[in-house]
Each structure stands twice: as structure tokens, then as C-alpha cells.
Amino acid sequence: MHVLRKLFVVELKLLLREPAAWLLVLMLPLALVTMFGLTASPRTNTNPIVTYFPAMALSLGVAQLALTLLPGALATYRENGILRRMASTPVHPSRLLGAQLAVSLLMALTALAMVLVVGSFVLGFPLPKEPLGFALAFLLGTGALFAVGLCVAAVAPSGRVASGIGAGVFFLLIIFGGVFMPAEVTPKFMTTIGSYLPIGASMQAMRASWAGEWPDTLPLVAMAGLIVVFGAVAARTFRWE
């Protein structure tokens, strides 16, 4: 645990030295929720569609983190031989992987806090009326996206390739996950497809909890299944060198 904590601190410092990376992850959801908050008048707008905007902002920010930043960093470590050298020391590279995941989770939680605080207290978006359901939806959605990102990191030979693959997966998921349009105006078949994808399922579950309802079983089970399946694939295929 002491080694993991030290690796976490080192990874966090390295990340903070690259503001172009972490600022995008944090500022993208904040910019989106601010833009829509200024145009949708959430303080007086009672239309349920209002919950779409903060959920979409959060989903895009976490997806950007999980599918581009995380796999790019891990693939770069493999490309530079860092993971191979660590494998010959008492500090197994799996601990570096754990530290990277912990830093990424901290980033995701920071983005969540920023969106909730600014969205609610500054712009007037309502806070989730079902907080436990919202927390479950956010954690499952984040875990599912991290699992997919680890699969990208497992097969990519370099940081550039990982970022390219991650960007492609990112755009596919937001296209078919119902991110571009709220469910109210999205074709039914697209909503159904989105229920099985990490971004779409996360958005559906978060929107339900924002409205005061417990999320439907389907998106929750889908996200849990994605964590198990992609986590297992990443574990079996991940190469240290």
C-alpha cells in the first residue's frame, strides 16, 4: 500500500506537469455545462430534457479521460520500456497500473464535483434527486469506460496508436450512445443500442436519478457486464512489453 501511494503521488505530479492533457478532461465538461446552462435557463425550465445537459457533459469528460488519456499514458510507458524494467524489480508494473487508475478516478471525481457545483449553484441545474442511484450510475459508467480504455491500452504498441484507437472508439460510442441528442428526440432503436454501451447506459441511468427515479435495471446490468467482460479481456491481453 505504501508503494502504491508513492506511485500515485508520482503519477499525479507527472500528470499535473502536462496541463494540456488534464485541462481538456476537466474543462470540457465544465465548458459544456456552462454553455448549455446559459442557453437552457435551468432555473426556470421545468422540462425534463434539462437533465440531459449535465449528464452529457459528465459522460463526455469521463469518456475523454478513459479512452484517450489513460490508454495513451500506459501505452507510452510500454513503448519506452518502463513497464518491462519494472517487471524485473520488486515493484510489479501492475502497481503502476493501479496508480494510473487511481489518478484517473481522481480526475473523474474532480470533473463530477465541478459539474455539480457550477451546474447547480451557479447555473441553476437541479442536483440529482436520487443521489444513491446517481452515484451508482456514475461509478458503473466510469468503471465501464475505464475497462474499455484498458483494452485499448492492452493492444496499442505506442502512445500515439493508443490515442488514435481511443479517439476512434470515443466517437463511435458517442454516436451510437445517444450523446448528440437527448433520448426524447432520439430514434427508439438508437436509445436501445445506447442502453448496452458505456456512455449511453451511463447517461440513461444518470438522467433517471437526476429526475428522482431509481435507474432502470438494463443500463446498470449492462455497465456491470461491460466492466466484467472488458476488464477480463484487458487482464488477459495486457502486455508489459
Side-chain angles (χ1 to χ4, degrees):
M1 185 62 69
H2 177 67
V3 173
L4 183 60
R5 184 169 62 250
K6 291 189 69 173
L7 285 173
F8 169 79
V9 172
V10 170
E11 288 299 311
L12 183 59
K13 288 180 178 179
L14 291 174
L15 176 64
L16 294 178
R17 291 176 183 175
E18 298 290 340
W22 59 267
L23 277 177
L24 177 62
V25 171
L26 295 181
M27 298 311 297
L28 175 63
L30 187 60
L32 287 172
V33 79
T34 300
M35 179 179 68
F36 288 115
L38 293 175
T39 57
S41 303
R43 293 187 188 279
T44 57
N45 191 343
T46 59
N47 193 317
I49 203 172
V50 168
T51 61
Y52 160 75
F53 300 116
M56 179 266 291
L58 272 176
S59 298
L60 286 180
V62 175
Q64 184 76 22
L65 167 66
L67 299 176
T68 58
L69 190 60
L70 175 63
L74 292 174
T76 298
Y77 282 156
R78 182 192 298 118
E79 181 184 10
N80 294 337
I82 295 174
L83 299 181
R84 183 183 66 251
R85 290 194 293 271
M86 288 185 68
S88 62
T89 71
V91 182
H92 195 269
S94 61
R95 297 193 178 183
L96 179 61
L97 176 60
Q100 273 283 341
L101 286 172
V103 170
S104 296
L105 179 58
L106 176 62
M107 292 279 290
L109 292 174
T110 302
L112 169 64
M114 292 172 64
V115 167
L116 290 180
V117 171
V118 175
S120 176
F121 298 106
V122 178
L123 300 171
F125 283 105
L127 288 170
K129 297 177 182 177
E130 178 54 69
L132 291 179
F134 177 81
L136 180 61
F138 179 79
L139 291 176
L140 285 176
T142 300
L145 285 167
F146 280 5
V148 175
L150 287 176
C151 282
V152 175
V155 300
S158 67
R160 285 180 176 272
V161 173
S163 297
I165 296 175
V169 174
F170 173 80
F171 283 111
L172 285 175
L173 289 181
I174 64 175
I175 290 172
F176 292 103
V179 176
F180 285 134
M181 294 183 294
E184 288 84 351
V185 296
T186 302
K188 181 64 177 178
F189 77 94
M190 291 290 288
T191 304
T192 302
I193 293 174
S195 299
Y196 296 93
L197 299 177
I199 297 181
S202 177
M203 282 190 60
Q204 291 178 24
M206 284 195 292
R207 287 197 63 189
S209 60
W210 235 303
E213 303 173 2
W214 186 261
D216 290 340
T217 301
L218 176 57
L220 295 179
V221 172
M223 289 186 287
L226 289 168
I227 293 173
V228 173
V229 172
F230 281 94
V233 171
R236 290 183 63 88
T237 60
F238 199 92
R239 296 174 292 108
W240 302 120
E241 55 181 306

